[in-house]
Amino acid sequence: MKLSKETHKELYLKMVQTRKFEETAARLFVEGKVHGTAHFCIGEEATGVGVCTSLEVEDYILQTHRGHNQGIGKNMDIKKMMAEFLGKETGYCKGKGGCMHIADFSVGSLGANGIVGGGIPLATGAALKQQYNKEDNITVVFFGDGATNEGSFHESLNLAATWKLPVLFVCTNNYYGMSTSTKKSMAIDDISIRAEGYGMKGIALDGNDVVNIYEETIKAKKYILENGPMLMVLNTYRWMGHSKSDAQIYRTKEEVAEWKEKCPIKRHRDFILKNKVMTEAELEAIEAQAAQDIKDAVAFAESSPEPKIENIFDDVYAD
Amino acid sequence: MRDITYAQAINEAMSEEMRLDKNLIFIGEDIGVYGGAFGVSKGMFEEFGPERVKDTPISEQVITGCAAGASMTGLKTIAEMMFSDFMTLAMDQLANQAAKNRFQFGGQGAVPMVLRAPGGSGTGAAEQHSQSLEAWVAHVPGLKVVIPSTPADAKGLLKASIRDNNPVVFLEQKLLYRQKGPVAEIGEDEIIPLGKADVKREGKDVTIITYGRMVPRSLKVAEDLAKEGIDVEVVDIRTLVPLDKEALIKSAKKTGKVLVVHEACQTGGFGGELVSVVVESDAFFYLDAPVKRLGGLDVPIPYNPNLEAQVVPTEEKITAAIKNLL
Ligand SMILES: Cc1ncc(C[n+]2csc(CCOP(=O)(O)OP(=O)(O)O)c2C)c(N)n1
Ligand SMILES: [Mg+2]
């Protein structure tokens, strides 16, 4: 499969947007402009961007707490994401959800989740609806390595395999759940073998190779629509701490530095130049555009109104 | 009118709604050919087939989450917990996912699902199969909570719950499944809107506010006390969320004496909420006596039948509590 220039452009732009979104969000924290917490995905951009860019609007995704790459990958509006991050009325959730609950049903994002593994059972339901209506679309659910130790993961894989539900289970394996290394939380090295116990296909991929992730997701979707669910493990690394407050005493600086060498954005950039997909100048233009998009998003968010307590009972119940 | 059981009424409500709405499906453990642990869904698998009546693995968390996910995306679902005690295994999907979905996403979606779950003691099922956990779910904004006490209410309220656009926890009463009562002919029955209490017996001396299995028991006490010249009003709240506060306040004003009765453990039980509704309202000025609660003892439900019978409000205890109020 040879990706078009347009696709490369899209993948690269979304990854850079994600990176800049995270860097900017982290700065807003330091400036005291954000009051909650956030979980940054710098280093993991290729995972959500690679998977989601290959999907159609009608394919659903369920995101994680570390899912800005997933949302941007699925074409969420960066302005509304930033506004939600700042808790504004114009945010995706009217300031009620924050970035742990970002969602955009209109582009097929059924929402991020603050509960580790909490979205996995929901994905079986969304896929059941697709199966029931005989749709040619799938549901993709993201979760971390840590989440694969939750009961929700195991119940959901078993149900999906048994009912042959069109679900792509995507594990973003960054080797840590907060401070706990996978070496201390599971007795296996390759998370993808968990699929086998449920009679499901499991694959493990380099989570920093956006081109391969994009291609493999297209293949996976075809496989799933013909055969049933699949587990895709994307091995990657988070560069920053787990969340706002994390002194990172559980891992070495050398380990972090080693993974920074494998930067997914740099890797894609090198690929593009080497294969002459785009010129240096074209890449710089994309980078400038991404920077501008994030600037615009911050300006939009900062100038947006605060939500009003008068509306607090809205949306507790549907009519 | 004809007499059918509470279980049949529930079966009819589900079946009729499934005939009307092709987007409505039903999932749970052993609900298919087996017909459900209490036989409630007998015949439904045969009528609607394996695509709409789906036996699941024994996985309460994913049963609940699957129902929520399907309902978020356009289907309507009824999910059955074999026993309401097993909601404990499904609590994240119910309380963190289904209940908060609409609010936390700023009103983008809705989760029209019903979680049917039989509760209550009296069957010798002991500690882990006999609880009344309605207060747990009533405490979570975003959920609606229904507990019917008669076959007609079960049918009308379940139909309303299925048509509701929110996650509804529909708590059935195991001991009432085989009770018969008058229900309108098929096609003529009424949908009973959520949030409407029902005065099951009019009286002028004292009010019992109750729900579920304690409704027939309170009515029995009321009939016995009538022979002694004590005229008891029995108000069945029917839905805990939304709660028909007006009905409680009205009855409290009328009789000036209120006893709240439920089977669930008294401490932290929904009775505390019912008492508060009365005493925080202007009904307070009409009260002739302190409002009293009679809940279950604060113990797990024991196995031995004598013990089991004594840990929840008995006719004797209700009678004594009423007499104390007068
Ligand atoms: C059920 C639950 N347990 C614990 C937490 C606290 N918590 C939030 S994220 C996290 C780590 C999750 O690890 P993983 O699934 O690997 O995702 P990652 O953060 O590495 O992306 C923990 C422990 C939570 N939010 N939910
Ligand atoms: Mg992790």
Side-chain angles (χ1 to χ4, degrees):
Chain A
M1 192 185 316
K2 193 168 177 303
L3 302 192
S4 70
K5 179 174 171 181
E6 281 314 304
T7 303
H8 277 293
K9 241 177 151 169
E10 187 179 351
L11 291 170
Y12 190 70
L13 173 65
K14 285 173 170 176
M15 285 204 292
V16 180
Q17 283 172 330
T18 303
R19 174 76 52 101
K20 299 219 181 288
F21 188 98
E22 303 296 58
E23 287 170 350
T24 306
R27 179 172 53 73
L28 292 170
F29 262 124
V30 177
E31 291 171 4
K33 289 187 175 149
V34 188
H35 116 114
T37 190
H39 306 83
F40 299 119
C41 67
I42 293 184
E44 304 178 2
E45 292 89 348
T47 58
V49 170
V51 169
C52 296
T53 303
S54 81
L55 301 175
E56 296 172 282
V57 183
E58 295 80 10
D59 295 312
Y60 296 120
I61 64 164
L62 289 106
Q63 302 175 221
T64 63
H65 57 288
R66 201 181 302 290
H68 295 151
N69 55 348
Q70 301 146 10
I72 289 174
K74 198 75 169 69
N75 302 317
M76 281 175 72
D77 180 340
I78 294 172
K79 286 193 173 111
K80 288 186 184 173
M81 285 174 65
M82 191 62 84
E84 190 57 38
F85 181 56
L86 293 192
K88 297 301 182 78
E89 175 69 31
T90 54
Y92 266 119
C93 318
K94 302 177 188 160
K96 286 175 177 169
C99 69
M100 263 195 293
H101 300 296
I102 255 166
D104 183 350
F105 284 35
S106 73
V107 298
S109 166
L110 301 178
N113 218 299
I115 302 295
V116 170
I120 312 177
L122 298 173
T124 66
L128 176 61
K129 172 255 175 184
Q130 290 168 324
Q131 182 185 62
Y132 186 78
N133 289 342
K134 303 190 168 55
E135 295 170 22
D136 285 327
N137 290 95
I138 65 169
T139 298
V140 177
V141 56
F142 291 92
F143 48 86
D145 47 284
T148 70
N149 298 325
E150 288 281 6
S152 60
F153 169 82
H154 297 274
E155 288 192 19
S156 300
L157 262 70
N158 182 58
L159 184 82
T162 306
W163 288 0
K164 298 206 182 316
L165 296 173
V167 186
L168 176 61
F169 295 94
V170 180
C171 174
T172 305
N173 174 28
N174 56 18
Y175 298 95
Y176 290 89
M178 252 169 99
S179 72
T180 307
S181 138
T182 48
K183 289 198 174 61
K184 291 190 200 163
S185 66
M186 56 182 79
I188 52 172
D189 293 322
D190 177 4
I191 294 175
S192 73
I193 67 169
R194 292 199 156 170
E196 200 183 321
Y198 300 104
M200 189 187 296
K201 181 175 174 185
I203 59 170
L205 303 176
D206 180 338
N208 287 6
D209 182 352
V210 74
V211 175
N212 191 43
I213 293 170
Y214 177 93
E215 290 173 347
E216 287 296 325
T217 308
I218 289 174
K219 285 190 217 157
K221 180 171 167 179
K222 187 165 180 293
Y223 170 89
I224 288 165
L225 288 172
E226 285 163 10
N227 303 284
M230 182 167 150
L231 172 64
M232 176 190 281
V233 178
L234 302 176
N235 296 314
T236 181
Y237 200 78
R238 91 172 130 70
W239 291 9
M240 298 179 71
H242 164 74
S243 63
K244 196 169 60 162
S245 45
D246 178 358
Q248 301 187 56
I249 49 176
Y250 49 85
R251 61 185 192 183
T252 63
K253 290 205 168 65
E254 290 72 32
E255 184 181 287
V256 179
E258 213 174 285
W259 276 94
K260 284 188 177 174
E261 287 300 308
K262 303 182 206 167
C263 174
I265 295 178
K266 182 170 179 300
R267 180 157 168 186
H268 190 213
R269 202 177 199 286
D270 292 347
F271 177 95
I272 287 169
L273 289 173
K274 191 168 153 236
N275 292 281
K276 302 197 168 29
V277 183
M278 282 183 267
T279 64
E280 179 75 37
E282 283 176 296
L283 288 169
E284 277 167 15
I286 293 174
E287 287 153 13
Q289 186 196 328
Q292 189 59 45
D293 291 343
I294 302 304
K295 240 190 209 147
D296 293 348
V298 173
F300 171 77
E302 288 191 323
S303 65
S304 287
E306 292 282 323
K308 293 196 180 67
I309 191 67
E310 289 75 29
N311 302 328
I312 195 65
F313 288 109
D314 290 359
D315 304 324
V316 177
Y317 292 97
D319 291 336
Chain B
M1 283 286 176
R2 68 229 148 98
D3 276 2
I4 60 171
T5 65
Y6 186 91
Q8 271 173 294
I10 292 165
N11 182 306
E12 283 188 4
M14 289 195 286
S15 300
E16 289 172 23
E17 291 301 305
M18 285 181 72
R19 277 172 216 135
L20 288 173
D21 186 354
K22 292 273 176 293
N23 268 330
L24 177 61
I25 61 164
F26 176 32
I27 67 173
E29 294 162 14
D30 304 294
I31 60 168
V33 279
Y34 191 88
F38 295 94
V40 173
S41 52
K42 276 214 177 79
M44 290 180 66
F45 179 82
E46 289 73 10
E47 177 174 356
F48 299 104
E51 246 130 64
R52 297 185 69 196
V53 176
K54 296 182 82 74
D55 275 326
T56 64
I58 305 163
S59 305
E60 288 76 14
Q61 184 168 193
V62 78
I63 291 170
T64 308
C66 182
S71 292
M72 276 167 73
T73 49
L75 293 184
K76 288 196 145 213
T77 47
I78 305 167
E80 179 172 305
M81 290 281 107
M82 190 180 280
F83 285 79
S84 70
D85 310 68
F86 307 160
M87 287 193 301
T88 53
L89 286 94
M91 219 45 174
D92 173 55
Q93 293 302 311
L94 187 59
N96 290 327
Q97 310 299 339
K100 295 178 179 38
N101 189 283
R102 183 174 178 81
F103 186 86
Q104 74 187 1
F105 298 147
Q108 293 187 56
V111 187
M113 67 178 274
V114 178
L115 190 74
R116 291 183 37 244
S121 65
T123 64
E127 289 81 356
Q128 298 164 340
H129 292 73
S130 302
Q131 295 168 87
S132 298
L133 295 175
E134 63 272 15
W136 286 29
V137 279
H139 196 62
V140 179
L143 299 178
K144 294 190 176 180
V145 183
V146 180
I147 308 186
S149 71
T150 68
D153 283 357
K155 187 166 182 186
L157 290 166
L158 183 51
K159 287 190 152 210
S161 300
I162 290 169
R163 294 183 190 193
D164 201 279
N165 251 332
N166 296 281
V168 179
V169 181
F170 193 85
L171 293 167
E172 297 163 11
Q173 304 277 278
K174 293 198 286 285
L175 271 195
L176 298 182
Y177 274 140
R178 305 286 155 243
Q179 298 297 313
K180 283 193 169 183
V183 175
E185 297 297 330
I186 290 175
E188 289 169 11
D189 50 348
E190 276 176 21
I191 302 224
I192 300 173
L194 306 188
K196 282 255 172 290
D198 185 38
V199 178
K200 286 282 189 302
R201 184 186 194 280
E202 303 244 7
K204 60 181 188 333
D205 296 331
V206 55
T207 297
I208 297 179
I209 300 172
T210 187
Y211 53 87
R213 170 158 87 98
M214 288 298 137
V215 172
R217 186 162 288 185
S218 299
L219 287 169
K220 170 73 169 46
V221 169
E223 289 315 315
D224 290 346
L225 286 173
K227 291 172 202 144
E228 298 179 32
I230 302 170
D231 194 12
V232 181
E233 176 146 305
V234 178
V235 181
D236 178 0
I237 63 169
R238 301 199 291 200
T239 65
L240 284 66
V241 183
L243 179 62
D244 186 356
K245 296 182 181 177
E246 285 313 308
L248 314 188
I249 294 166
K250 190 172 155 206
S251 181
K253 283 182 181 171
K254 175 178 168 191
T255 64
K257 299 179 201 68
V258 176
L259 174 69
V260 170
V261 179
H262 61 55
E263 174 173 345
C265 298
Q266 182 153 316
T267 300
F270 198 70
E273 192 58 37
L274 297 172
V275 171
S276 300
V277 166
V278 173
V279 301
E280 287 174 354
S281 76
D282 62 342
F284 180 79
F285 303 107
Y286 295 73
L287 293 174
D288 301 322
V291 176
K292 287 287 183 186
R293 273 184 302 169
L294 181 60
L297 303 184
D298 290 325
V299 297
I301 301 295
Y303 172 65
N304 172 283
N306 288 323
L307 296 178
E308 184 184 26
Q310 311 263 342
V311 298
V312 300
T314 57
E315 285 175 30
E316 295 71 32
K317 285 188 203 173
I318 299 171
T319 306
I322 293 280
K323 288 189 169 170
N324 265 332
L325 271 178
L326 294 170

